[in-house]
Amino acid sequence: MVEIDNEFQAESVATNVKLSDPEGDATFLLEVLLHEGVVVEVKEIFKRFVKTLDSESSIVSAVVLEALFMSYAASLPTTSHTVLTELFGGFEARYCPEANIHASICDGNIDEEQVQSVLQSYYATQDRIYGSKMQQKPLPALFSSAEIKLVGLFRGQGAMDNYIEETRAIYTTYGPLVKDFVGQMNEFLGKECADPRVSALYKYGLDVHSWITNPKEELPSTEYLLSVAVSIPVVGLTQLMQIVVLYKTLGIAPGELAASFKGK
């Protein structure tokens, strides 16, 4: 069930959204402070957004609802830069004014799937506003305290039959942060597996980008994915994607991240 009670005022939008959830009805207040000139635009966007909500939605947190609205606005090519900037700025002010978004939402009462949804919405909106420009964020103590010495350790995933799902999850959640890197690496791997010396090992190629963006049913067989020639480069790519996500979400350069690891 979805019930909306809107109060669009001169400088703010206050909206009560009543949604059904597994334990009963929950009502959230979606309140966005805006400059007077963009209230009308936000009102129209919100009317369209409400129509996209599933009648049996299990949204159980205001942060999830607001993140979904923000990313919906970002997905519309007609949404003005001013509206997106204000929605994004308001979201940060409410949920992560000083801390990294990961630390903020992981403290909330939402499950892993909804955490992924919030992060996906957050970085999709950030990308629409700022593009590839690095966003400076306060570093967590783990990377800023002189008393902490970090050690980096690369390890395999062990006997995982579905390791490609981790790759897919990273790309789905942090697409704007890793899409260029994955595109470049996908091209590189495609050329490498076409080398006559090893091409016989790659009956279905190494099109990782296609594997993680198309339906699971279109994946090569598990036997093929678990072969050494395929799993080693793809697992390596997955680990490198994690590194790209780490330094970009911290707002630092790759060299700065490397310099953070000083433990012996």
Side-chain angles (χ1 to χ4, degrees):
M1 178 176 60
V2 180
E3 297 179 4
I4 309 297
D5 180 18
N6 297 330
E7 294 181 6
F8 291 94
Q9 302 170 352
E11 296 182 351
S12 69
V13 176
T15 304
N16 282 311
V17 183
K18 189 175 183 181
L19 301 166
S20 65
D21 65 73
E23 299 180 359
D25 290 337
T27 301
F28 307 117
L29 178 65
L30 176 63
E31 186 170 7
V32 185
L33 298 180
L34 303 163
H35 291 309
E36 184 175 354
V38 299
V39 171
V40 174
E41 183 180 350
V42 171
K43 179 179 179 179
E44 293 305 314
I45 294 172
F46 189 79
K47 286 180 178 179
R48 296 167 64 181
F49 166 69
V50 168
K51 295 178 181 179
T52 69
L53 294 176
D54 192 312
S55 61
E56 297 301 323
S57 174
S58 60
I59 298 173
V60 294
S61 172
V63 64
V64 177
L65 178 65
E66 188 166 341
L68 290 174
F69 173 52
M70 182 173 65
S71 66
Y72 176 78
S75 71
L76 301 175
T78 55
T79 303
S80 69
H81 187 271
T82 301
V83 163
L84 290 178
T85 301
E86 293 204 24
L87 291 177
F88 188 74
F91 183 91
E92 287 197 308
R94 277 182 288 282
Y95 301 110
C96 51
E98 298 179 355
N100 183 285
I101 181 65
H102 297 80
S104 300
I105 64 171
C106 287
D107 290 338
N109 186 29
I110 57 177
D111 60 29
E112 183 178 351
E113 182 178 350
Q114 293 192 329
V115 166
Q116 182 177 353
S117 175
V118 171
L119 292 174
Q120 182 180 1
S121 298
Y122 179 87
Y123 287 109
T125 307
Q126 177 180 274
D127 180 67
R128 172 76 189 278
I129 298 171
Y130 302 108
S132 59
K133 183 179 179 181
M134 191 78 72
Q135 298 303 299
Q136 296 298 319
K137 303 291 181 182
L139 288 176
L142 191 64
F143 288 89
S144 59
S145 174
E147 299 178 359
I148 299 177
K149 294 185 177 181
L150 298 178
V151 176
L153 179 63
F154 283 84
R155 300 182 65 183
Q157 272 89 336
M160 291 179 60
D161 291 346
N162 61 341
Y163 68 87
I164 196 70
E165 291 310 309
E166 180 181 346
T167 319
R168 184 193 300 273
I170 298 171
Y171 193 87
T172 299
T173 305
Y174 301 101
L177 305 184
V178 299
K179 61 182 179 181
D180 290 341
F181 173 74
V182 171
Q184 292 170 359
M185 292 303 298
N186 196 68
E187 183 178 353
F188 169 78
L189 291 173
K191 292 179 179 179
E192 290 298 302
C193 73
D195 188 314
R197 294 171 296 179
V198 297
S199 59
L201 299 172
Y202 297 101
K203 181 179 179 180
Y204 302 104
L206 265 179
D207 191 355
V208 181
H209 182 267
S210 176
W211 296 346
I212 61 178
T213 55
N214 289 328
K216 299 177 183 180
E217 293 76 15
E218 297 182 14
L219 283 172
S221 67
T222 300
E223 181 182 4
Y224 181 78
L225 292 175
L226 290 179
S227 66
V228 174
V230 175
S231 64
I232 287 181
V234 178
V235 168
L237 172 61
T238 305
Q239 293 176 326
L240 291 174
M241 289 168 66
Q242 292 280 25
I243 292 176
V244 172
V245 167
L246 180 57
Y247 76 72
K248 287 193 174 183
T249 56
L250 289 173
I252 60 178
E256 293 176 285
L257 176 63
S260 300
F261 296 97
K262 302 175 181 178
K264 296 181 179 180

mmCIF file of all heavy atoms in Angstrom, residues 120-158:
data_model
loop_
_atom_site.group_PDB
_atom_site.id
_atom_site.type_symbol
_atom_site.label_atom_id
_atom_site.label_comp_id
_atom_site.label_asym_id
_atom_site.label_seq_id
_atom_site.Cartn_x
_atom_site.Cartn_y
_atom_site.Cartn_z
ATOM 1 N N GLN A 120 23.982 2.595 -4.232
ATOM 2 C CA GLN A 120 23.816 2.728 -5.675
ATOM 3 C C GLN A 120 23.178 4.071 -6.010
ATOM 4 O O GLN A 120 23.617 4.781 -6.927
ATOM 5 C CB GLN A 120 22.949 1.582 -6.196
ATOM 6 C CG GLN A 120 22.742 1.598 -7.704
ATOM 7 C CD GLN A 120 21.874 0.432 -8.160
ATOM 8 O OE1 GLN A 120 21.409 -0.379 -7.360
ATOM 9 N NE2 GLN A 120 21.639 0.351 -9.454
ATOM 10 N N SER A 121 22.147 4.445 -5.259
ATOM 11 C CA SER A 121 21.458 5.719 -5.487
ATOM 12 C C SER A 121 22.384 6.895 -5.206
ATOM 13 O O SER A 121 22.409 7.879 -5.960
ATOM 14 C CB SER A 121 20.224 5.808 -4.583
ATOM 15 O OG SER A 121 19.292 4.789 -4.878
ATOM 16 N N TYR A 122 23.131 6.808 -4.139
ATOM 17 C CA TYR A 122 24.025 7.892 -3.714
ATOM 18 C C TYR A 122 25.082 8.173 -4.774
ATOM 19 O O TYR A 122 25.280 9.320 -5.198
ATOM 20 C CB TYR A 122 24.682 7.498 -2.401
ATOM 21 C CG TYR A 122 25.657 8.514 -1.838
ATOM 22 C CD1 TYR A 122 25.223 9.561 -1.025
ATOM 23 C CD2 TYR A 122 27.020 8.415 -2.096
ATOM 24 C CE1 TYR A 122 26.117 10.485 -0.495
ATOM 25 C CE2 TYR A 122 27.921 9.331 -1.580
ATOM 26 C CZ TYR A 122 27.468 10.361 -0.774
ATOM 27 O OH TYR A 122 28.357 11.263 -0.261
ATOM 28 N N TYR A 123 25.750 7.129 -5.241
ATOM 29 C CA TYR A 123 26.843 7.340 -6.195
ATOM 30 C C TYR A 123 26.336 7.627 -7.612
ATOM 31 O O TYR A 123 27.017 8.308 -8.384
ATOM 32 C CB TYR A 123 27.799 6.148 -6.168
ATOM 33 C CG TYR A 123 28.623 6.141 -4.907
ATOM 34 C CD1 TYR A 123 28.414 5.192 -3.913
ATOM 35 C CD2 TYR A 123 29.580 7.129 -4.668
ATOM 36 C CE1 TYR A 123 29.144 5.214 -2.728
ATOM 37 C CE2 TYR A 123 30.315 7.158 -3.494
ATOM 38 C CZ TYR A 123 30.087 6.206 -2.536
ATOM 39 O OH TYR A 123 30.811 6.242 -1.350
ATOM 40 N N ALA A 124 25.146 7.151 -7.951
ATOM 41 C CA ALA A 124 24.571 7.500 -9.251
ATOM 42 C C ALA A 124 24.236 8.990 -9.295
ATOM 43 O O ALA A 124 24.472 9.670 -10.299
ATOM 44 C CB ALA A 124 23.320 6.667 -9.509
ATOM 45 N N THR A 125 23.702 9.502 -8.186
ATOM 46 C CA THR A 125 23.364 10.922 -8.123
ATOM 47 C C THR A 125 24.625 11.775 -8.087
ATOM 48 O O THR A 125 24.717 12.803 -8.772
ATOM 49 C CB THR A 125 22.508 11.222 -6.877
ATOM 50 O OG1 THR A 125 21.376 10.345 -6.859
ATOM 51 C CG2 THR A 125 22.035 12.668 -6.883
ATOM 52 N N GLN A 126 25.601 11.350 -7.318
ATOM 53 C CA GLN A 126 26.866 12.080 -7.243
ATOM 54 C C GLN A 126 27.513 12.166 -8.617
ATOM 55 O O GLN A 126 28.036 13.221 -9.014
ATOM 56 C CB GLN A 126 27.820 11.388 -6.267
ATOM 57 C CG GLN A 126 29.191 12.040 -6.184
ATOM 58 C CD GLN A 126 30.100 11.319 -5.204
ATOM 59 O OE1 GLN A 126 30.091 11.574 -4.011
ATOM 60 N NE2 GLN A 126 30.913 10.398 -5.702
ATOM 61 N N ASP A 127 27.456 11.076 -9.376
ATOM 62 C CA ASP A 127 28.049 11.056 -10.713
ATOM 63 C C ASP A 127 27.326 12.006 -11.651
ATOM 64 O O ASP A 127 27.953 12.695 -12.457
ATOM 65 C CB ASP A 127 28.002 9.629 -11.269
ATOM 66 C CG ASP A 127 28.605 9.525 -12.659
ATOM 67 O OD1 ASP A 127 29.825 9.717 -12.787
ATOM 68 O OD2 ASP A 127 27.851 9.263 -13.613
ATOM 69 N N ARG A 128 26.002 12.063 -11.546
ATOM 70 C CA ARG A 128 25.225 12.959 -12.408
ATOM 71 C C ARG A 128 25.596 14.420 -12.133
ATOM 72 O O ARG A 128 25.606 15.252 -13.041
ATOM 73 C CB ARG A 128 23.737 12.718 -12.159
ATOM 74 C CG ARG A 128 22.808 13.705 -12.838
ATOM 75 C CD ARG A 128 22.657 13.447 -14.334
ATOM 76 N NE ARG A 128 21.934 14.565 -14.951
ATOM 77 C CZ ARG A 128 20.625 14.714 -14.954
ATOM 78 N NH1 ARG A 128 19.852 13.785 -14.408
ATOM 79 N NH2 ARG A 128 20.065 15.769 -15.533
ATOM 80 N N ILE A 129 25.907 14.742 -10.874
ATOM 81 C CA ILE A 129 26.208 16.127 -10.501
ATOM 82 C C ILE A 129 27.656 16.494 -10.787
ATOM 83 O O ILE A 129 27.947 17.519 -11.396
ATOM 84 C CB ILE A 129 25.916 16.360 -9.002
ATOM 85 C CG1 ILE A 129 24.433 16.130 -8.703
ATOM 86 C CG2 ILE A 129 26.309 17.789 -8.588
ATOM 87 C CD1 ILE A 129 24.109 16.132 -7.225
ATOM 88 N N TYR A 130 28.579 15.636 -10.351
ATOM 89 C CA TYR A 130 29.998 15.990 -10.381
ATOM 90 C C TYR A 130 30.806 15.244 -11.437
ATOM 91 O O TYR A 130 31.963 15.583 -11.680
ATOM 92 C CB TYR A 130 30.633 15.731 -9.013
ATOM 93 C CG TYR A 130 29.975 16.493 -7.889
ATOM 94 C CD1 TYR A 130 29.176 15.838 -6.951
ATOM 95 C CD2 TYR A 130 30.123 17.872 -7.767
ATOM 96 C CE1 TYR A 130 28.558 16.524 -5.913
ATOM 97 C CE2 TYR A 130 29.515 18.574 -6.731
ATOM 98 C CZ TYR A 130 28.737 17.891 -5.814
ATOM 99 O OH TYR A 130 28.120 18.580 -4.797
ATOM 100 N N GLY A 131 30.232 14.212 -12.041
ATOM 101 C CA GLY A 131 30.997 13.435 -13.009
ATOM 102 C C GLY A 131 32.162 12.726 -12.339
ATOM 103 O O GLY A 131 32.053 12.239 -11.218
ATOM 104 N N SER A 132 33.290 12.683 -13.015
ATOM 105 C CA SER A 132 34.459 11.961 -12.501
ATOM 106 C C SER A 132 35.304 12.799 -11.540
ATOM 107 O O SER A 132 36.324 12.335 -11.045
ATOM 108 C CB SER A 132 35.341 11.500 -13.668
ATOM 109 O OG SER A 132 35.782 12.615 -14.435
ATOM 110 N N LYS A 133 34.895 14.026 -11.264
ATOM 111 C CA LYS A 133 35.645 14.887 -10.355
ATOM 112 C C LYS A 133 35.684 14.275 -8.961
ATOM 113 O O LYS A 133 34.657 13.920 -8.391
ATOM 114 C CB LYS A 133 35.011 16.279 -10.293
ATOM 115 C CG LYS A 133 35.768 17.265 -9.434
ATOM 116 C CD LYS A 133 35.090 18.626 -9.445
ATOM 117 C CE LYS A 133 35.831 19.617 -8.552
ATOM 118 N NZ LYS A 133 35.157 20.946 -8.545
ATOM 119 N N MET A 134 36.886 14.150 -8.392
ATOM 120 C CA MET A 134 37.058 13.537 -7.088
ATOM 121 C C MET A 134 36.415 14.395 -6.005
ATOM 122 O O MET A 134 36.628 15.597 -5.933
ATOM 123 C CB MET A 134 38.543 13.369 -6.767
ATOM 124 C CG MET A 134 38.823 12.504 -5.546
ATOM 125 S SD MET A 134 38.674 10.748 -5.911
ATOM 126 C CE MET A 134 40.144 10.479 -6.903
ATOM 127 N N GLN A 135 35.600 13.749 -5.155
ATOM 128 C CA GLN A 135 34.945 14.459 -4.072
ATOM 129 C C GLN A 135 35.706 14.260 -2.766
ATOM 130 O O GLN A 135 35.932 13.132 -2.329
ATOM 131 C CB GLN A 135 33.505 13.957 -3.908
ATOM 132 C CG GLN A 135 32.637 14.186 -5.127
ATOM 133 C CD GLN A 135 32.597 15.653 -5.521
ATOM 134 O OE1 GLN A 135 32.152 16.499 -4.750
ATOM 135 N NE2 GLN A 135 33.054 15.946 -6.734
ATOM 136 N N GLN A 136 36.132 15.365 -2.160
ATOM 137 C CA GLN A 136 36.880 15.290 -0.914
ATOM 138 C C GLN A 136 35.947 14.974 0.250
ATOM 139 O O GLN A 136 34.918 15.608 0.427
ATOM 140 C CB GLN A 136 37.596 16.616 -0.654
ATOM 141 C CG GLN A 136 38.648 16.967 -1.692
ATOM 142 C CD GLN A 136 39.781 15.945 -1.744
ATOM 143 O OE1 GLN A 136 40.246 15.456 -0.712
ATOM 144 N NE2 GLN A 136 40.213 15.617 -2.951
ATOM 145 N N LYS A 137 36.310 13.954 1.033
ATOM 146 C CA LYS A 137 35.529 13.547 2.187
ATOM 147 C C LYS A 137 36.442 13.436 3.407
ATOM 148 O O LYS A 137 37.644 13.166 3.268
ATOM 149 C CB LYS A 137 34.870 12.177 1.936
ATOM 150 C CG LYS A 137 33.975 12.123 0.712
ATOM 151 C CD LYS A 137 32.722 12.938 0.912
ATOM 152 C CE LYS A 137 31.821 12.849 -0.309
ATOM 153 N NZ LYS A 137 30.610 13.683 -0.167
ATOM 154 N N PRO A 138 35.896 13.647 4.603
ATOM 155 C CA PRO A 138 36.704 13.433 5.810
ATOM 156 C C PRO A 138 37.163 11.983 5.874
ATOM 157 O O PRO A 138 36.354 11.065 5.732
ATOM 158 C CB PRO A 138 35.732 13.762 6.948
ATOM 159 C CG PRO A 138 34.670 14.611 6.323
ATOM 160 C CD PRO A 138 34.533 14.112 4.913
ATOM 161 N N LEU A 139 38.447 11.769 6.050
ATOM 162 C CA LEU A 139 38.967 10.405 6.110
ATOM 163 C C LEU A 139 38.604 9.756 7.433
ATOM 164 O O LEU A 139 38.707 10.386 8.493
ATOM 165 C CB LEU A 139 40.482 10.403 5.939
ATOM 166 C CG LEU A 139 41.023 10.697 4.544
ATOM 167 C CD1 LEU A 139 42.542 10.761 4.574
ATOM 168 C CD2 LEU A 139 40.562 9.635 3.554
ATOM 169 N N PRO A 140 38.191 8.494 7.422
ATOM 170 C CA PRO A 140 37.930 7.796 8.682
ATOM 171 C C PRO A 140 39.229 7.602 9.446
ATOM 172 O O PRO A 140 40.329 7.662 8.876
ATOM 173 C CB PRO A 140 37.340 6.458 8.221
ATOM 174 C CG PRO A 140 37.835 6.277 6.825
ATOM 175 C CD PRO A 140 37.929 7.650 6.242
ATOM 176 N N ALA A 141 39.129 7.349 10.743
ATOM 177 C CA ALA A 141 40.307 7.205 11.596
ATOM 178 C C ALA A 141 41.247 6.122 11.088
ATOM 179 O O ALA A 141 42.465 6.218 11.242
ATOM 180 C CB ALA A 141 39.875 6.902 13.029
ATOM 181 N N LEU A 142 40.678 5.106 10.458
ATOM 182 C CA LEU A 142 41.488 4.012 9.951
ATOM 183 C C LEU A 142 42.555 4.499 8.980
ATOM 184 O O LEU A 142 43.640 3.926 8.868
ATOM 185 C CB LEU A 142 40.590 2.980 9.265
ATOM 186 C CG LEU A 142 41.218 1.638 8.887
ATOM 187 C CD1 LEU A 142 41.656 0.884 10.132
ATOM 188 C CD2 LEU A 142 40.224 0.796 8.093
ATOM 189 N N PHE A 143 42.260 5.595 8.259
ATOM 190 C CA PHE A 143 43.190 6.114 7.264
ATOM 191 C C PHE A 143 43.803 7.453 7.663
ATOM 192 O O PHE A 143 44.632 7.986 6.929
ATOM 193 C CB PHE A 143 42.477 6.277 5.918
ATOM 194 C CG PHE A 143 42.173 4.980 5.238
ATOM 195 C CD1 PHE A 143 40.975 4.314 5.478
ATOM 196 C CD2 PHE A 143 43.080 4.408 4.363
ATOM 197 C CE1 PHE A 143 40.692 3.117 4.855
ATOM 198 C CE2 PHE A 143 42.806 3.204 3.733
ATOM 199 C CZ PHE A 143 41.612 2.554 3.987
ATOM 200 N N SER A 144 43.411 7.996 8.796
ATOM 201 C CA SER A 144 43.925 9.308 9.184
ATOM 202 C C SER A 144 44.699 9.317 10.496
ATOM 203 O O SER A 144 45.423 10.266 10.783
ATOM 204 C CB SER A 144 42.767 10.313 9.284
ATOM 205 O OG SER A 144 41.813 9.890 10.242
ATOM 206 N N SER A 145 44.561 8.269 11.291
ATOM 207 C CA SER A 145 45.244 8.229 12.581
ATOM 208 C C SER A 145 46.690 7.782 12.423
ATOM 209 O O SER A 145 46.978 6.758 11.782
ATOM 210 C CB SER A 145 44.520 7.276 13.537
ATOM 211 O OG SER A 145 45.252 7.121 14.737
ATOM 212 N N ALA A 146 47.611 8.533 13.019
ATOM 213 C CA ALA A 146 49.037 8.185 12.957
ATOM 214 C C ALA A 146 49.342 6.941 13.771
ATOM 215 O O ALA A 146 50.395 6.320 13.605
ATOM 216 C CB ALA A 146 49.871 9.364 13.469
ATOM 217 N N GLU A 147 48.437 6.560 14.642
ATOM 218 C CA GLU A 147 48.654 5.414 15.510
ATOM 219 C C GLU A 147 48.290 4.089 14.840
ATOM 220 O O GLU A 147 48.599 3.023 15.361
ATOM 221 C CB GLU A 147 47.838 5.572 16.799
ATOM 222 C CG GLU A 147 48.222 6.810 17.609
ATOM 223 C CD GLU A 147 47.366 6.955 18.843
ATOM 224 O OE1 GLU A 147 46.474 6.097 19.049
ATOM 225 O OE2 GLU A 147 47.587 7.906 19.603
ATOM 226 N N ILE A 148 47.617 4.174 13.697
ATOM 227 C CA ILE A 148 47.191 2.959 12.999
ATOM 228 C C ILE A 148 48.093 2.687 11.812
ATOM 229 O O ILE A 148 48.340 3.561 10.995
ATOM 230 C CB ILE A 148 45.732 3.105 12.517
ATOM 231 C CG1 ILE A 148 44.799 3.299 13.704
ATOM 232 C CG2 ILE A 148 45.321 1.887 11.696
ATOM 233 C CD1 ILE A 148 43.357 3.524 13.312
ATOM 234 N N LYS A 149 48.603 1.466 11.737
ATOM 235 C CA LYS A 149 49.424 1.045 10.609
ATOM 236 C C LYS A 149 48.693 -0.051 9.849
ATOM 237 O O LYS A 149 48.448 -1.132 10.378
ATOM 238 C CB LYS A 149 50.786 0.545 11.092
ATOM 239 C CG LYS A 149 51.653 1.634 11.725
ATOM 240 C CD LYS A 149 53.026 1.110 12.081
ATOM 241 C CE LYS A 149 53.897 2.227 12.654
ATOM 242 N NZ LYS A 149 55.253 1.739 12.993
ATOM 243 N N LEU A 150 48.353 0.252 8.616
ATOM 244 C CA LEU A 150 47.566 -0.677 7.807
ATOM 245 C C LEU A 150 48.439 -1.637 7.026
ATOM 246 O O LEU A 150 49.542 -1.298 6.592
ATOM 247 C CB LEU A 150 46.691 0.107 6.826
ATOM 248 C CG LEU A 150 45.647 1.052 7.420
ATOM 249 C CD1 LEU A 150 44.924 1.775 6.299
ATOM 250 C CD2 LEU A 150 44.665 0.297 8.284
ATOM 251 N N VAL A 151 47.927 -2.826 6.830
ATOM 252 C CA VAL A 151 48.586 -3.842 6.010
ATOM 253 C C VAL A 151 47.596 -4.291 4.936
ATOM 254 O O VAL A 151 46.437 -4.604 5.239
ATOM 255 C CB VAL A 151 49.019 -5.057 6.848
ATOM 256 C CG1 VAL A 151 49.607 -6.138 5.943
ATOM 257 C CG2 VAL A 151 50.024 -4.656 7.912
ATOM 258 N N GLY A 152 48.017 -4.291 3.685
ATOM 259 C CA GLY A 152 47.172 -4.765 2.586
ATOM 260 C C GLY A 152 47.475 -6.218 2.282
ATOM 261 O O GLY A 152 48.635 -6.615 2.199
ATOM 262 N N LEU A 153 46.431 -7.024 2.131
ATOM 263 C CA LEU A 153 46.621 -8.452 1.877
ATOM 264 C C LEU A 153 45.699 -8.892 0.752
ATOM 265 O O LEU A 153 44.480 -8.737 0.836
ATOM 266 C CB LEU A 153 46.310 -9.262 3.148
ATOM 267 C CG LEU A 153 46.432 -10.785 3.046
ATOM 268 C CD1 LEU A 153 47.876 -11.184 2.736
ATOM 269 C CD2 LEU A 153 45.954 -11.443 4.330
ATOM 270 N N PHE A 154 46.295 -9.423 -0.311
ATOM 271 C CA PHE A 154 45.510 -9.950 -1.419
ATOM 272 C C PHE A 154 45.321 -11.453 -1.219
ATOM 273 O O PHE A 154 46.282 -12.189 -1.019
ATOM 274 C CB PHE A 154 46.223 -9.705 -2.749
ATOM 275 C CG PHE A 154 46.112 -8.292 -3.235
ATOM 276 C CD1 PHE A 154 46.978 -7.308 -2.779
ATOM 277 C CD2 PHE A 154 45.131 -7.935 -4.150
ATOM 278 C CE1 PHE A 154 46.887 -6.011 -3.226
ATOM 279 C CE2 PHE A 154 45.021 -6.636 -4.602
ATOM 280 C CZ PHE A 154 45.901 -5.670 -4.138
ATOM 281 N N ARG A 155 44.065 -11.877 -1.291
ATOM 282 C CA ARG A 155 43.783 -13.303 -1.149
ATOM 283 C C ARG A 155 42.721 -13.703 -2.168
ATOM 284 O O ARG A 155 41.963 -12.868 -2.658
ATOM 285 C CB ARG A 155 43.279 -13.622 0.261
ATOM 286 C CG ARG A 155 44.260 -13.262 1.363
ATOM 287 C CD ARG A 155 43.725 -13.653 2.724
ATOM 288 N NE ARG A 155 43.596 -15.099 2.828
ATOM 289 C CZ ARG A 155 43.095 -15.715 3.903
ATOM 290 N NH1 ARG A 155 42.669 -15.008 4.928
ATOM 291 N NH2 ARG A 155 43.005 -17.032 3.939
ATOM 292 N N GLY A 156 42.639 -14.983 -2.451
ATOM 293 C CA GLY A 156 41.621 -15.477 -3.364
ATOM 294 C C GLY A 156 40.295 -15.657 -2.652
ATOM 295 O O GLY A 156 40.202 -15.537 -1.432
ATOM 296 N N GLN A 157 39.251 -15.951 -3.428
ATOM 297 C CA GLN A 157 37.932 -16.156 -2.849
ATOM 298 C C GLN A 157 37.702 -17.579 -2.369
ATOM 299 O O GLN A 157 36.644 -17.902 -1.878
ATOM 300 C CB GLN A 157 36.848 -15.810 -3.879
ATOM 301 C CG GLN A 157 36.454 -14.347 -3.862
ATOM 302 C CD GLN A 157 37.328 -13.530 -4.798
ATOM 303 O OE1 GLN A 157 38.441 -13.934 -5.102
ATOM 304 N NE2 GLN A 157 36.838 -12.400 -5.261
ATOM 305 N N GLY A 158 38.692 -18.450 -2.525
ATOM 306 C CA GLY A 158 38.491 -19.836 -2.120
ATOM 307 C C GLY A 158 37.611 -20.579 -3.112
ATOM 308 O O GLY A 158 37.491 -20.201 -4.276
#
